[in-house]
Amino acid sequence: MTSSSQSIPAKIRMLAIQAARQEPGVREIYAPTHSIWKELAGKKVPEHDLLRLSWRGDSVSAQLDIGLLKDANALEVAGMVQQRIHAVLADYLENPDALNVDVTVL
Amino acid sequence: MEITQVSDLPYSCGRSEDELWSRLSMPPDQHELGCPYCQAQRQRLAPLAKATTQWKIGNDSENEADTALLGSIRGRVMDGIKAEIRRGTRFTLRITTLGTLRISGYVLLETLREVVDSIRGVALRTHKILPGSHPESISMSINLALEAGEDGVRLTNGIRDALRARFAQAIGISLDDIDINLEDVFHDF
């Protein structure tokens, strides 16, 4: 636990993304819309952008879109990914209770 | 200053430079082997032939690079479009203490189609996924065509069972109403 500032360093976001990737059943992590179009416009998009973060007051919202392997159970895998991301980010935040992690299976 | 007179074509042997040029990639024929004019011209044209060949190869590889780049851009545009389609309608899978788990309606429709398409005797027509009676459930509305001679009640019950089983196994969302409407009969010729 180190900070509750209005940002989470890129390396922490990367750790969360890596943790999500390691979950069995995850085939891919979808880039957010703005990243896709930015990349097409020739701008380099950092990988930590895959995990979207937003703040409202003290609460932090993290969002990740994942694609699954054929035989994976969507609810189980999404739940495990949510736990993994929460564990990484909560370790960094002063108030982990204010953290919401939303995972969408696309 | 010495001015060299360039002899007029055709060469003294009667072959034109065009003819010789078109044959440069081939070994000399019987005439060229015995003709000093053609041999001299072959020697003179060889560096030019080499240069144009290299230019052509270079140009082709540039085209290949352009094609690869275009393909990569096209691929990324398609990925973006596919992701956007998938992002369209989302349904809540579960609200946990850590946040919300959602699923794209696209995945649900894909699963629905897989199930119905695997059942013989019916053909899937229009179909849609609707929110269920509680946040973590969905309902479905399916229109089907039935093959002539098939038992509609048996098949629709089979489809409901298969859908519930598949959605439990692959998705984990509970199914509320599964409305099935047999709207047509088809003959399998």
Side-chain angles (χ1 to χ4, degrees), chain B residues 13-25:
Chain B
C13 67
R15 283 207 173 173
S16 72
E17 195 166 73
D18 279 350
E19 276 177 275
L20 196 63
W21 180 259
S22 66
R23 293 193 39 81
L24 266 187
S25 57

Side-chain angles (χ1 to χ4, degrees), chain B residues 5-116:
Chain B
Q5 184 68 41
V6 179
S7 62
D8 290 337
L9 296 177
Y11 306 142
S12 304
C13 67
R15 283 207 173 173
S16 72
E17 195 166 73
D18 279 350
E19 276 177 275
L20 196 63
W21 180 259
S22 66
R23 293 193 39 81
L24 266 187
S25 57
M26 295 179 267
D29 62 9
Q30 203 60 42
H31 165 84
E32 288 166 18
L33 284 172
C35 173
Y37 300 108
C38 287
Q39 281 172 15
Q41 292 307 325
R42 258 190 179 265
Q43 221 169 3
R44 186 179 65 84
L45 290 172
L48 183 60
K50 193 179 169 192
T52 53
T53 307
Q54 277 174 347
W55 179 81
K56 190 171 180 299
I57 291 166
N59 228 27
D60 282 351
S61 64
E62 268 176 36
N63 287 342
E64 279 166 25
D66 286 350
T67 308
L69 180 66
L70 200 64
S72 136
I73 291 171
R74 193 179 293 132
R76 280 185 285 162
V77 169
M78 287 312 293
D79 285 349
I81 291 169
K82 281 182 201 165
E84 283 317 290
I85 290 170
R86 286 178 175 272
R87 284 195 168 98
T89 314
R90 301 174 190 205
F91 294 85
T92 304
L93 275 173
R94 183 163 293 171
I95 299 168
T96 74
T97 53
L98 307 182
T100 307
L101 304 176
R102 295 189 183 87
I103 189 160
S104 153
Y106 184 89
V107 178
L108 300 176
L109 285 170
E110 226 175 20
T111 309
L112 184 163
R113 282 194 286 269
E114 265 175 31
V115 171
V116 179

Side-chain angles (χ1 to χ4, degrees), chain A residues 13-14 17-18 21 29 44-51:
Chain A
R13 287 166 76 174
M14 277 305 299
I17 292 163
Q18 279 163 12
R21 279 217 171 94
I29 293 174
K44 184 145 177 62
V45 179
E47 203 181 349
H48 65 253
D49 251 22
L50 293 174
L51 182 70

Side-chain angles (χ1 to χ4, degrees), chain A residues 4-96:
Chain A
S4 68
S5 66
Q6 294 286 298
S7 71
I8 292 178
K11 67 174 183 183
I12 303 291
R13 287 166 76 174
M14 277 305 299
L15 283 177
I17 292 163
Q18 279 163 12
R21 279 217 171 94
Q22 280 163 10
E23 178 60 33
V26 172
R27 189 191 69 230
E28 67 178 297
I29 293 174
Y30 285 95
T33 309
H34 68 88
S35 296
I36 294 171
W37 304 127
K38 253 164 77 177
E39 205 181 333
L40 276 172
K43 291 178 183 158
K44 184 145 177 62
V45 179
E47 203 181 349
H48 65 253
D49 251 22
L50 293 174
L51 182 70
R52 306 191 296 281
L53 293 174
S54 57
W55 283 264
R56 180 172 289 181
D58 282 341
S59 67
V60 185
S61 170
Q63 295 176 0
L64 193 78
D65 294 340
I66 58 172
L68 302 184
L69 293 172
K70 191 77 182 160
D71 294 323
N73 180 286
L75 180 62
E76 280 174 18
V77 177
M80 290 307 295
V81 167
Q82 184 187 47
Q83 286 178 32
R84 280 174 179 256
I85 293 171
H86 195 277
V88 173
L89 300 183
D91 209 32
Y92 178 79
L93 296 168
E94 240 174 47
N95 182 12

